[in-house]
Amino acid sequence: MSLPRLRRAYADAAHGQMHYAECSATSGAGALPIVLLHQTPRSWREFGEVLPLLGARRRTIAVDTAGFGESDAVTAASIEAWAEAALQLLDAIGVERTHVVGHHTGGVIAVEIAARAPARVASLVLSSTPYTNEAFRVARAGRAAIDAVAPSEDGSHLAALWQKRQPFYPPRRPDLLQAFVADALKAGGDVEAGHRAVASYRMEDRIGAVRAPVLIVHASDDPFAAPHLAEWRHVLPSAQVATIEGGVPLPDQCPREFAAAVLRFVDPLP
């Protein structure tokens, strides 16, 4: 099967410009699109191999979160501000209703989008997404920074960033770590912004407003998100669950398995 070509573009939002990449095959005309939201401090490139696989069936749009990749930053970073910026991008490109897929931080943003604009979200796919309640916030408050490293004159902080993330990536895949570091360097000098935003988000106050069908994509080896599966089953008992054997970077580590799980869920839907 010939995969559709990828195109990149910018759209105007209230705070500045939002960057996105998309793939679309004519065979998917008439079907609702799929929007992809990355973890931070990544960019749309986290879905680089997933995009054409989904785009072969439906128009698929991977968004750079405001302040990451090539998107302009909002004045005050938060899950709410990032969700609003993503919705403004969708307004600008004429997407009224869509399936929303979020990985890690992107999943938290996806929850806020679904709570903020339920009529616009046909379904929600939460990949390796933490459930951020009071217990989560207390635990995160006592945890050391996940990615932050102090700048050094000799550049050794870049190796430190690499080494911090290395345990969460598969062996013999330095290309994935290199992509992570490249995106982290674009994150406005603050690779912890996404982690702080997640840690302060009161998901327990918003999850009740989610009306769309939900798929939980569970990465079996993800030390951050895998333990949250029991909580998701409790708060969203009707949600479907798809388990993929692998760790943190599911979209770029297991793109075919990831795309297949998403398509099995959304294809029976409008």
Side-chain angles (χ1 to χ4, degrees), residues 9 83 96 110-111 172 243 266:
E96 296 181 2
V111 168
R172 297 176 295 279
T243 297
V266 304

Side-chain angles (χ1 to χ4, degrees), residues 64-108:
D64 275 352
T65 297
F68 297 87
E70 304 299 330
S71 288
D72 290 337
V74 293
T75 302
S78 69
I79 297 300
E80 293 85 353
W82 290 338
E84 180 60 29
L87 284 167
Q88 290 179 14
L89 181 150
L90 297 182
D91 288 341
I93 64 175
V95 174
E96 296 181 2
R97 185 169 163 81
T98 184
H99 302 281
V100 181
V101 179
H103 180 61
H104 265 263
T105 310
V108 182

